[in-house]
Amino acid sequence: MPLLTFYFELHQPFRLQPETEKFLWEERNRQVFQKVAEKCYLPATRMFTGIIKENPQFKITFSMSGTFLEQAQLYKPEVIAALQELYDAGKEGNQVEYLEETYYHSLVSLFEDAQKQEFRDQVSLHRQKMKEIFGLKPTSFRNTELMYNNDIANVVADMGFKAILCEQRADMYRSAEGKAISPNAVFRAKGRRFSARDLLVIPRNRQLSDDVAFRFGSGQLSAEQYAQYIAQVDGEVVMLGYDYEHIGEHLWVETGIFDFWPSLARILRRYPNVVMANPTEIAERFKDADCPVADIHPLSTSSWADIERNTQGWLGSPTQYRLFRDIELMEPDAQKAGGAFLAKWRHLTTSDHLYYLHEGKGADHTVHDYFNPYGAIAAATYVLTRNIDQLKMAIHTFNIR
């Protein structure tokens, strides 16, 4: 009997201005958010509110970056209202869970600081935003790009979370003794502190998740077929994760995607062996269970990206790694300057800026290229480099004064 979790990621970065002395690209950020809000955020959220009301067994999990929520407040407040209505609709039956993450959808969990203070600070900022908007304190965590390693798990456990999401990777599914582990197992974190063992690790089933993104769009997947695939899962938990934008933005309304999800919710009622549960509920169910240990060394951090499920999408080229290190080394001066300088520096930590610089091939490169607002890797590199240099100089000058 698999426990089933549907999880969606909602994120929009504040893109950097390519041409002028301004730091953020206000016009483009507003344009993109308002377009996606009309095609996805508003109709999809209202669709799920209806599904929640009509299907008491249906449950859903959202993770929303702080920059997404901030842009919603600035550019389309109706999105905030729709998300509040969704949460309220599922509150009585614990049908909706909102997760914690870093405010800036950032790469700061990869900083060398052993205490990961900036990571903790950005999680705290996100927590403040979630309390401000929804009046809640999330109890499960999703790191940027599903990045996971033992050090990250230790800090997340130390902050008191019950569960963390990650990506399936082949090297997780064989024990230290060489025994095979179920492909839909849940894990416990490995860590220096005992409390880390209390953190449940829930991997995303990539194949079933990608079925919707790639097979539904080509007309090869129906809600009936998808429900059958889910019901046939052999294991404890199947966590299915998607970019929210696949509903309406990547898969247009003409594809039938807005019919797929209500149909799937109704069809799943026929499968009593499929029990829906959100991450914190799963953590409670497995609190005393004997689970395998997820052991991912910091030098081999996992993520959803690319075939190897590693960090190559953000740090794979010498240019990406150098710029990442430049941003990281600015932290002490940015903290000292504080205020607007610190906020600007935190915007630079957003993962998207380095994602635009990825030099992959084939389909992998196509995905990165699709999200690049500057049209070419060279242009994205110039924009990021220029903004790093200018902010570094401005902070240095301010601190001297």
Side-chain angles (χ1 to χ4, degrees):
M1 181 184 74
L3 296 176
L4 171 63
T5 297
F6 289 121
Y7 141 74
F8 294 90
E9 170 63 21
L10 291 79
H11 167 60
Q12 284 291 339
F14 278 97
R15 297 159 192 85
L16 304 175
Q17 174 61 250
E19 297 176 353
T20 70
E21 294 301 314
K22 294 180 181 179
F23 183 69
L24 298 179
W25 199 356
E26 175 71 18
E27 303 84 359
R28 184 64 177 268
N29 293 328
R30 179 186 298 274
Q31 175 192 29
V32 170
F33 194 93
Q34 290 181 341
K35 181 195 74 166
V36 181
E38 293 299 329
K39 295 180 69 175
C40 168
Y41 301 144
L42 288 172
T45 305
R46 289 163 180 164
M47 173 190 71
F48 280 119
T49 300
I51 291 173
I52 288 292
K53 291 178 178 179
E54 295 171 11
N55 301 272
Q57 91 293 348
F58 190 85
K59 297 189 176 186
I60 191 171
T61 298
F62 279 11
S63 185
M64 300 166 279
S65 69
T67 57
F68 167 86
L69 293 169
E70 189 175 335
Q71 289 191 48
Q73 290 176 308
L74 287 170
Y75 307 141
K76 204 72 174 177
E78 300 97 309
V79 172
I80 297 293
L83 289 166
Q84 290 169 330
E85 183 180 354
L86 172 63
Y87 187 79
D88 290 342
K91 192 172 184 179
E92 184 176 347
N94 292 319
Q95 290 176 266
V96 180
E97 180 168 7
Y98 289 166
L99 305 181
E100 201 83 85
E101 63 169 270
T102 61
Y103 187 98
Y104 290 87
H105 200 264
S106 71
L107 299 176
V108 293
S109 65
L110 302 181
F111 282 5
E112 292 182 356
D113 171 25
Q115 299 302 314
K116 298 203 181 295
Q117 189 57 54
E118 177 60 23
F119 176 66
R120 293 171 184 267
D121 290 347
Q122 290 198 22
V123 173
S124 295
L125 289 172
H126 188 272
R127 182 170 294 175
Q128 293 171 21
K129 180 64 76 172
M130 294 298 288
K131 183 168 180 57
E132 169 198 327
I133 294 177
F134 303 108
L136 59 88
K137 180 181 178 181
T139 49
S140 290
F141 190 80
R142 171 213 164 272
N143 194 25
T144 305
E145 316 295 2
L146 292 178
M147 289 182 181
Y148 180 90
N149 64 42
N150 296 342
D151 285 355
I152 294 170
N154 268 272
V155 177
V156 171
D158 192 50
M159 288 189 288
F161 293 102
K162 297 180 179 180
I164 183 172
L165 310 188
C166 74
E167 183 77 3
Q168 281 182 337
R169 199 167 73 174
D171 56 359
M172 297 173 63
Y173 293 93
R174 192 159 293 278
S175 69
E177 296 78 26
K179 295 181 180 179
I181 297 172
S182 166
N184 290 291
V186 291
F187 296 78
R188 294 209 184 282
K190 177 181 180 180
R192 296 179 300 275
R193 307 179 184 89
F194 181 79
S195 62
R197 291 297 303 274
D198 297 330
L199 180 69
L200 200 74
V201 183
I202 309 174
R204 183 182 81 118
N205 186 308
R206 187 183 182 103
Q207 181 176 347
L208 277 175
S209 300
D210 285 355
D211 272 348
V212 175
F214 298 111
R215 294 186 61 226
F216 179 84
S218 61
Q220 300 176 37
L221 183 72
S222 67
E224 181 71 60
Q225 291 170 319
Y226 202 47
Q228 291 175 8
Y229 295 154
I230 293 169
Q232 292 167 4
V233 167
D234 181 19
E236 292 89 359
V237 172
V238 55
M239 195 264 281
L240 305 177
Y242 322 84
D243 284 334
Y244 202 39
E245 289 82 4
H246 94 269
I247 306 175
E249 171 68 6
H250 302 154
L251 295 173
W252 293 1
V253 64
E254 291 82 2
T255 65
I257 191 64
F258 284 95
D259 299 320
F260 173 83
W261 283 102
S263 297
L264 180 63
R266 290 191 297 269
I267 293 169
L268 284 172
R269 293 181 192 172
R270 306 176 197 163
Y271 296 92
N273 65 312
V274 177
V275 177
M276 302 196 73
N278 286 326
T280 297
E281 292 175 310
I282 294 172
E284 288 296 326
R285 284 174 179 255
F286 285 86
K287 181 170 58 176
D288 300 318
D290 184 17
C291 300
V293 173
D295 186 3
I296 304 292
H297 192 277
L299 293 178
S300 60
T301 302
S302 65
S303 83
W304 66 264
D306 303 329
I307 297 174
E308 294 82 8
R309 314 287 191 264
N310 55 27
T311 60
Q312 293 298 301
W314 300 270
L315 305 178
S317 73
T319 300
Q320 287 176 302
Y321 186 75
R322 178 181 60 80
L323 291 173
F324 169 75
R325 289 287 292 156
D326 285 347
I327 295 168
E328 180 181 5
L329 291 171
M330 290 172 63
E331 180 183 355
D333 289 338
Q335 292 283 358
K336 181 179 179 181
F341 293 109
L342 180 58
K344 286 183 176 181
W345 174 77
R346 284 173 167 161
H347 278 298
L348 293 180
T349 69
T350 296
S351 67
D352 302 65
H353 305 315
L354 288 169
Y355 188 77
Y356 304 147
L357 277 56
H358 183 60
E359 298 174 353
K361 298 178 180 178
D364 177 43
H365 175 70
T366 300
V367 171
H368 289 256
D369 204 38
Y370 172 83
F371 289 101
N372 186 349
Y374 308 108
I377 292 176
T381 303
Y382 169 76
V383 171
L384 181 56
T385 304
R386 188 197 70 200
N387 277 282
I388 290 173
D389 291 344
Q390 289 182 345
L391 184 59
K392 187 186 301 184
M393 180 60 70
I395 289 174
H396 180 69
T397 303
F398 177 82
N399 284 339
I400 289 176
R401 289 176 179 171

